[in-house]
Amino acid sequence: MFDIGFLELLIIGVVGLLVLGPERLPRAARTLGLWIAKIKRTVSGMQREISAQLEAEELRQKLDEQQKKLDEGLHRVKRDVEGLADTPPKDAGAASRGDAEAPAASSPPPEQRLDDALARARETAAEAPDADAHKDSAAR
């Protein structure tokens, strides 16, 4: 912190000895040492606090990035599921060919279509691991 060499310390010691005397110099040196230690602890505490704040800010930025990635993934999955909900089932197309008013009257609300698409996706996902298990057991 300070660029004080041995010669400067020697001069300060001699001046302190002359000004304070041999009885008060050790007590003054001890008090000065305590003050310097207290200042060092305070400065190191501030440095730790600043570094902790910087780390917390970095973590916040990383969390924000991860949140954005999750939101993008959620929107992509939502679009995919809505796309599945918009595609008519195979047997519904055959039933609607015979009656022109049937598609308009039997068209479920978007929430119901989304629920149906989610149910179909779950069924497909539930069947897929079973097929993999059969393939694995057949390979053995």
Side-chain angles (χ1 to χ4, degrees):
M1 190 162 127
F2 297 110
D3 191 20
I4 299 176
F6 180 73
L7 184 61
E8 287 91 2
L9 286 175
L10 185 64
I11 292 173
I12 291 171
V14 169
V15 171
L17 184 62
L18 292 175
V19 171
L20 296 175
E23 294 116 15
R24 292 189 294 180
L25 184 62
R27 192 176 321 141
R30 193 172 327 133
T31 304
L32 181 66
L34 291 174
W35 277 95
I36 290 174
K38 191 174 188 179
I39 290 170
K40 283 184 178 181
R41 280 193 305 269
T42 302
V43 168
S44 69
M46 285 182 193
Q47 287 175 342
R48 279 194 306 269
E49 192 172 319
I50 289 170
S51 66
Q53 289 294 328
L54 289 174
E55 288 176 9
E57 184 61 31
E58 289 175 7
L59 285 175
R60 281 189 205 104
Q61 289 175 351
K62 287 180 182 178
L63 284 174
D64 288 342
E65 290 173 8
Q66 292 298 322
Q67 184 66 38
K68 287 178 185 177
K69 288 180 183 177
L70 286 174
D71 288 342
E72 289 172 6
L74 179 66
H75 290 302
R76 187 172 45 246
V77 168
K78 185 177 178 182
R79 283 193 307 266
D80 290 346
V81 169
E82 287 174 350
L84 287 174
D86 289 339
T87 58
K90 295 176 186 175
D91 55 4
S96 65
R97 283 186 220 135
D99 189 8
E101 286 186 34
S106 67
S107 177
E111 295 84 12
Q112 182 63 37
R113 291 187 312 186
L114 184 60
D115 290 341
D116 293 341
L118 285 171
R120 284 194 305 262
R122 285 188 188 121
E123 289 172 5
T124 309
E127 293 171 3
D130 293 339
D132 291 340
H134 293 299
K135 289 177 186 176
D136 289 341
S137 63
R140 292 182 191 166

